[in-house]
Amino acid sequence: MPAIRLFGLPTDINSSFERGAAGGPAAIRAALRSDRGNLASELGPEIGVDVAFADDGNLALSEDTPRDDAAIRRHVAIVHENGEIPLALGGDHAVSFPLIEAAAHCFGPLNILHFDAHPDLYDDFAGNPRSHASPFARICEAGHAARLVQVGIRTLNRHCREQAERFGVEIVPMADFGAEKVPVLDGPLYISIDLDGLDPSAAPGVAHPEPGGLTVREVLAVLHRQRAPIIGADIVEHHPGRDIGDVTAIVGAKLVRELAALIDRNGAYRP
């Protein structure tokens, strides 16, 4: 089974409202290692015992987006060259573009499962085409998404609706949501989790809380239904300065465990 390589991307230079997500990797990592819990997953295996798991720490990012993108792409390429699977902690959601770009260069266009309150499809948000509100527009434009399924969206304005139609994005609405309504995707599968996809009652530590979101149980139900080989994943947009009692960091740590166990269960991708 593939080994999982965790690494942090402590950058929020492309945040549109309030910076703070650069502290996310450290906070989630602290919750993951805290004695308040353990490293068991709901799928059964224990991370680091039954599932091969290593933490590379944080990448040394510079807040120069082109340089940081290149560093992220290099790291992902090295992980894949070693036959391992990258699991990244953001940082703002802009980091998903170089993460997915690097994976697509290794595997071709990806099937992407994206959890978020927002579609992040803006063509150019506030004059910044690399905004954290725009990564999936860049991903789709570049041809890196064979299929993009978005779950948890509840802020779809006219521009983003037009962008979704333009790129053929599949949006599973929150109204009458059920995990069974989310497609079970083929590989190669990439999973991107913006923590504001969860309801603020479950994840208050984000810069853009949006009521009416997913429960942790609903996210896990969607994840556990996915059977395809996973070639990469990210958990982004934790803002520790807005957290309450480390609740969001603890959720992020649980998602690290569950994603690692899911990657292990689903096995390596074979083209």
Side-chain angles (χ1 to χ4, degrees), residues 161-229:
R161 188 177 296 109
E162 291 170 350
Q163 289 282 86
E165 291 172 359
R166 172 188 173 195
F167 293 125
V169 179
E170 302 167 59
I171 296 176
V172 181
M174 278 307 301
D176 300 318
F177 178 80
E180 72 283 353
K181 297 180 181 179
V182 180
V184 176
L185 298 171
D186 296 327
L189 177 60
Y190 187 96
I191 297 174
S192 181
I193 302 178
D194 185 325
L195 288 166
D196 69 30
L198 290 153
D199 191 78
S201 61
V206 296
H208 298 266
E210 182 66 32
L214 296 157
T215 66
V216 175
R217 185 54 49 199
E218 286 169 334
V219 171
L220 294 179
V222 173
L223 289 175
H224 291 163
R225 292 179 73 242
Q226 302 300 319
R227 293 284 173 173

Side-chain angles (χ1 to χ4, degrees), residues 1 11-12 15 18 56-57 85 92 106 114 146 173 176 178 221 230 235 241 248 252-253:
M1 293 298 168
T11 177
D12 50 24
S15 294
E18 177 180 279
D56 293 339
I85 305 299
D92 67 41
C106 294
H114 169 206
D176 300 318
I230 298 164
I235 301 167
T248 313

Side-chain angles (χ1 to χ4, degrees), residues 153-169:
I153 308 301
R154 50 198 187 275
T155 60
L156 195 63
N157 63 17
R158 180 179 297 176
H159 171 69
C160 287
R161 188 177 296 109
E162 291 170 350
Q163 289 282 86
E165 291 172 359
R166 172 188 173 195
F167 293 125
V169 179

